[in-house]
Amino acid sequence: MFVIATAGHVDHGKSTLVRALTGMEPDRWAEERRRGMTIDLGFAWTSLADDEMTAFVDVPGHQRFVTNMLAGVGPVTAVMFVVAADEGWRQQSAEHLAALHALDVRHGVLAVTRSDLADPGPAIAQAREQLDGTGLAGIPAVAVSAVTGQGLATLRHTLRDLTRALPTPAPGPARLWVDRSFSVRGSGTVVTGTLTSGTVAVGDDLLLHPSGRAVRVRGLQSLKTDVDRAGAVSRLAVNLRGLSTDDVRRGHALVQPGAFAPVTSMDVRLVRAADRLPAQLTLHLGSAAVAVRVRMLGPSAARLTLATPLPLHVGERGLLRDPGARHVVAGFVVLDTMPPGLHARGDARRRATALAGMRDRPTAAEEVGRRGAVRREALVTAGVLTPDDADLDGVVAAGGWLVDPVVWKQWAAALHRVADEWAAANPLSPGIAPDAAARRAGITDARLVGALAAEAGLVLDGSGVHGRDTGIRFPEPVRRALDEICAGLHDAPFAAPGAEDLARLGLSRQHLAAAVTAGVLIRVTDGVYLLPSAPAEALRRVAALPQPFTVSQARAAWDTSRRVAVPLLEYLDRQGATRRLDTARRILTKESR
């Protein structure tokens, strides 16, 4: 299917021409037909070729209804521009052209209507002069009369040639801009719109923006025909399950989950704009019209803050309109949907310089190089990447992040420096915790520390980030105290030193924790430390006891006190070597026999 929007001044015969081409009435409201003036969007379709349907979005031409006109033109890439032979170029002709130029519409046909009432030559010449310098310069012109039928066949052939020249829609996620919402008895809420990218099928789960609400497609119609699936470009009616008509309106969008993020602030390149713009304007993109606050960054760059978030991608085009002056003041191209903050003096000027060097549709490598590091999902929702993109031109992919290779090496070097500094300052601690290491090294996400440690020749394990030499260098008094404890435990494996003994030897909690990390001791419980060989010896001795056994029997076998015996049995329980039968008895498990 192809979709073409109309454009042109009020009462130049847009709806009459669509009616003559399709045999359908595009004006939906009785008031429109009574007044002979389109005030809202109309829709009609016909077959211009044997195998393809062409849908027309008929837009109002009166100045008061420009917002409705822009909602119809926004999602469409081709136009039938209508000028009346007996009136020529008029005020709304100019504003419609300004909007089309801002949206970079480059495919169209000039239809000069009412050619039975006046010579179409002057109107064609005048229109061509106005179209010069826009994306529609040089489009074919057809003189036509919807009343007499003059030129209709030629117009149909010209429109058919136009549709054949339209570019194939680029692959992308599904997004449908809503232009109507209504209720159908027995079906519920139905929305219509132009599907400009992706595919929608019955049963699909979509997100409704700006609310972010999840909805399910209950049914689909394309040109009043039930379909199971439809791809871009299509005019669709979508029956949504569990949604009230109050929840959805023109300007909302149905999008594929995970493919768009709600954008509230973005940096744009301005097209055909004055050096200064009003601070408050209306942004038009797709079928949406939202209030925006404009901050000029440079002659052709601005930051737009949206009153209502929109699901947008980098590279999309929209326009800014002054609702008070009632004219288009600029077009724009979205350059960054995740702009940095502007806090310091000169930030705006520097940002304008950076934006001037950015392409409308950057590659992933360009975006990563500019940002240093970015979440992969952020580039997907910005439209720079697809979820399946694998060739990233040397970009480092780790932990859900995409990192510039230069930044990656800088982070690895910083992590190595931090690990060395920690080891020098903390000889009893073999490694620094990943969160602390990331913070000190300036690494964006601690989840990258493991991959960076490997890059830097470091180790990340339970003790933190450290070099491959894991030996802990105990001060000489601490080493002598530990040697004394170990010697005593070799002679009496379960005679754990008490608090007074530890204090006499000058061993602090930090010293004992380092001894456990170094494998010199094991911690049974707070204040009870034994040799690493103690659990195996404990099991060997209780294996000689009648099963099941009591705490008193184990204590006697180990020749120790209840202070040691009770926590040691609980330690063995946690290891799965022993199992409690009741409050008094335990047995060895099969695995430990």
Side-chain angles (χ1 to χ4, degrees):
M1 182 194 301
F2 304 102
V3 183
I4 299 174
T6 64
H9 192 74
V10 62
D11 200 31
H12 276 202
K14 296 185 294 297
S15 300
T16 302
L17 187 55
V18 170
R19 193 179 302 117
L21 286 168
T22 66
M24 300 177 66
E25 175 57 68
D27 288 337
R28 295 180 292 114
W29 307 111
E31 181 184 358
E32 293 178 302
R33 294 191 286 272
R34 179 178 57 80
R35 296 170 60 182
M37 183 178 74
T38 301
I39 61 178
D40 203 354
L41 299 179
F43 309 98
W45 53 90
T46 188
S47 176
L48 296 174
D50 293 338
D51 55 347
E52 294 288 353
M53 296 296 291
T54 298
F56 292 90
V57 180
D58 187 36
V59 306
H62 197 283
Q63 186 183 52
R64 284 185 297 164
F65 307 115
V66 168
T67 296
N68 291 348
M69 173 268 178
L70 294 174
V73 169
V76 179
T77 58
V79 64
M80 182 170 67
F81 205 105
V82 177
V83 178
D86 58 338
E87 290 193 3
W89 196 262
R90 299 296 296 274
Q91 177 184 351
Q92 288 312 111
S93 306
E95 181 165 13
H96 285 202
L97 178 60
L100 294 166
H101 183 53
L103 295 171
D104 199 34
V105 176
R106 296 176 175 271
H107 304 277
V109 171
L110 173 63
V112 178
T113 57
R114 303 213 289 256
S115 293
D116 56 321
L117 300 180
D119 177 7
I124 291 175
Q126 187 183 29
R128 286 201 182 282
E129 182 180 351
Q130 297 293 329
L131 294 174
D132 247 7
T134 75
L136 296 174
I139 61 174
V142 179
V144 66
S145 169
V147 174
T148 67
Q150 170 195 342
L152 280 177
T154 302
L155 180 58
R156 290 180 67 88
H157 284 297
T158 305
L159 289 169
R160 182 191 61 192
D161 292 341
L162 166 65
T163 60
R164 289 176 174 175
L166 290 176
T168 302
R175 182 180 62 183
L176 180 141
W177 287 104
V178 174
D179 49 42
R180 289 178 63 205
S181 171
F182 51 93
S183 181
V184 175
R185 184 182 296 274
S187 296
T189 299
V190 175
V191 301
T192 68
T194 301
L195 179 68
T196 54
S197 64
T199 301
V200 174
V202 174
D204 279 356
D205 291 316
L206 301 174
L207 295 180
L208 176 65
H209 278 275
S211 68
R213 178 174 176 174
V215 295
R216 176 162 291 181
V217 177
R218 182 179 183 182
L220 281 176
Q221 279 193 350
S222 179
L223 308 184
K224 292 195 174 180
T225 301
D226 289 339
V227 295
D228 292 327
R229 177 179 297 270
V233 173
S234 298
R235 282 293 307 172
L236 292 180
V238 186
N239 183 197
L240 298 174
R241 187 184 303 276
L243 190 70
S244 164
T245 53
D246 295 333
D247 298 327
V248 57
R249 59 177 173 79
R250 178 176 294 171
H252 290 181
L254 293 173
V255 304
Q256 180 178 316
F260 293 87
V263 175
T264 56
S265 178
M266 61 186 179
D267 286 347
V268 301
R269 176 179 293 116
L270 298 172
V271 180
R272 296 188 68 184
D275 289 342
R276 303 298 302 175
L277 295 181
Q280 302 291 333
L281 292 171
T282 299
L283 177 152
H284 296 267
L285 196 150
S287 64
V290 302
V292 295
R293 182 163 48 85
V294 181
R295 176 177 179 178
M296 296 296 294
L297 304 175
S300 60
R303 175 158 298 180
L304 305 182
T305 303
L306 287 64
T308 302
L310 294 178
L312 305 178
H313 278 170
V314 169
E316 294 199 72
R317 288 179 174 264
L319 59 87
L320 298 172
R321 187 169 184 266
D322 187 337
R326 293 188 176 181
H327 68 273
V328 173
V329 298
F332 65 83
V333 181
V334 179
L335 296 181
D336 192 345
T337 57
M338 303 171 286
L342 302 173
H343 306 298
R345 183 184 298 273
D347 277 356
R349 174 177 46 80
R350 287 185 287 271
R351 182 61 175 162
T353 301
L355 293 171
M358 292 168 57
R359 297 194 302 156
D360 293 359
R361 295 190 178 276
T363 65
E366 288 170 340
E367 278 290 285
V368 173
R370 187 164 58 83
R371 298 176 185 278
V374 61
R375 294 287 298 176
R376 182 187 180 98
E377 66 184 22
L379 291 192
V380 170
T381 58
V384 177
L385 273 180
T386 69
D388 300 325
D389 278 340
D391 184 10
L392 299 176
D393 296 329
V395 169
V396 178
W401 284 84
L402 301 177
V403 186
D404 180 76
V406 174
V407 173
W408 185 258
K409 291 187 178 298
Q410 291 172 345
W411 280 352
L415 183 64
H416 203 293
R417 183 184 68 253
V418 165
D420 288 346
E421 291 172 351
W422 177 266
N426 301 273
L428 296 182
S429 177
I432 179 172
D435 287 349
R439 188 167 54 252
R440 295 188 183 197
I443 298 166
T444 301
D445 189 336
R447 288 171 292 186
L448 296 174
V449 168
L452 284 164
E455 174 79 16
L458 301 171
V459 175
L460 172 61
D461 56 22
S463 60
V465 182
H466 55 79
R468 296 193 180 278
D469 176 13
T470 59
I472 295 177
R473 297 171 179 82
F474 292 104
E476 184 61 24
V478 174
R479 186 186 60 77
R480 286 198 303 268
L482 291 174
D483 286 346
E484 181 177 333
I485 286 178
C486 290
L489 290 173
H490 276 295
D491 294 336
F494 306 104
E500 292 181 0
D501 297 321
L502 296 174
R504 175 180 58 81
L505 294 169
L507 293 176
S508 66
R509 286 178 177 269
Q510 184 184 17
H511 296 143
L512 292 166
V516 170
T517 300
V520 176
L521 299 172
I522 63 167
R523 178 180 176 278
V524 177
T525 191
D526 192 26
V528 177
Y529 295 87
L530 300 174
L531 293 177
S533 58
E537 176 64 17
L539 290 174
R540 187 186 68 79
R541 294 190 186 187
V542 295
L545 296 174
Q547 301 293 314
F549 59 89
T550 64
V551 173
S552 295
Q553 288 172 315
R555 182 180 64 76
W558 295 336
D559 190 19
T560 189
S561 64
R562 287 184 62 87
R563 179 182 73 89
V564 175
V566 171
L568 180 53
L569 282 169
E570 292 172 349
Y571 178 94
L572 295 174
D573 290 343
R574 293 193 297 272
Q575 302 300 312
T578 56
R579 180 168 59 85
R580 294 189 68 151
L581 296 179
D582 50 39
T583 57
R585 300 177 304 159
R586 283 178 171 82
I587 60 171
L588 288 174
T589 61
K590 292 182 179 179
E591 292 77 9
S592 59
R593 292 176 186 172

